[in-house]
Amino acid sequence: MEDGKVNKVSGGMPDTVFECVISYIDDARDRDAVSLVCRRWYEIDKTTRKHVTIALCYTTTPQMLWRRFQHLESLKLKGKPRAAMFNLIPEDWGGYVTPWVEEISRSFSCLKALHFRRMIVMDSDLELLAHSRGRALQSLKIDRCSGFSTDGLLHVGRFCRFVIIAFR
């Protein structure tokens, strides 16, 4: 449907009105509900959503996320379940960030903020991220992650201009 055309679901209002309104909806659950109304609202949500939180990195693939949201500016990615903080899950259970970093380095050109939580982050992942997204990345949070060393952080510090790295 072209801009200015009237959508029957929207009660006679042009789609441009809904593009403006949907961009102000910040709650992810509300955005999910709006995107289920009709195909056009799904497409509007697809182009206007700026932040996504993946509660478990194995619930989707990086490629599926890229196909759905190509204009993401912020991504929060969680790996292991919370039980891992209490040593209830083996250290090598999973939660590897490598496939995500590879796709981020290839595809997510608008990404400015990245948050990894309870994931296994290798030095090579940080190096790839710094080389590919270093100039655009403004915030990198590594929260309760394992597998990396100061060598990986050196790459981030060397290639990222204005990145803020937060640890917890």
Side-chain angles (χ1 to χ4, degrees), residues 4 6 8 13 20-21 27 79 89 94 107 112 118 125 127 144 150 158:
V6 177
K8 293 178 184 178
M13 298 174 100
C20 293
V21 171
D27 187 76
I89 295 176
S107 305
K112 297 176 186 173
R118 292 188 304 270
D125 298 327
E127 182 179 4
R144 295 182 174 98
T150 54
R158 188 175 291 155

Side-chain angles (χ1 to χ4, degrees), residues 80 83-84 87-94 120:
K80 298 176 187 177
N87 296 326
L88 298 173
I89 295 176
E91 182 64 31
D92 61 347
W93 177 85
I120 297 174

Side-chain angles (χ1 to χ4, degrees), residues 4-111:
K5 288 204 172 186
V6 177
N7 188 339
K8 293 178 184 178
V9 176
S10 60
M13 298 174 100
D15 285 338
T16 53
V17 172
F18 288 100
E19 289 177 18
C20 293
V21 171
I22 289 175
S23 66
Y24 285 102
I25 301 173
D26 293 326
D27 187 76
R29 290 172 288 169
D30 291 341
R31 299 253 344 198
D32 292 342
V34 165
S35 70
L36 295 174
V37 171
C38 67
R39 183 71 182 169
R40 182 63 188 141
W41 288 17
Y42 175 89
E43 293 297 325
I44 292 171
D45 178 47
K46 177 180 179 176
T47 58
T48 60
R49 191 175 298 210
K50 300 297 181 202
H51 173 75
V52 169
T53 297
I54 306 292
L56 182 62
C57 64
Y58 293 116
T59 57
T60 188
T61 65
Q63 295 79 17
M64 287 177 65
L65 182 68
W66 167 246
R67 279 195 303 267
R68 176 79 163 97
F69 303 111
Q70 296 181 2
H71 304 288
L72 280 185
E73 293 180 4
S74 172
L75 174 63
K76 183 175 185 178
L77 191 59
K78 298 179 183 178
K80 298 176 187 177
R82 195 161 177 243
M85 294 187 317
F86 306 104
N87 296 326
L88 298 173
I89 295 176
E91 182 64 31
D92 61 347
W93 177 85
Y96 295 97
V97 79
T98 303
W100 290 92
V101 169
E102 290 171 353
E103 187 66 30
I104 288 167
S105 67
R106 274 193 304 269
S107 305
F108 290 91
S109 60
C110 300
L111 200 65

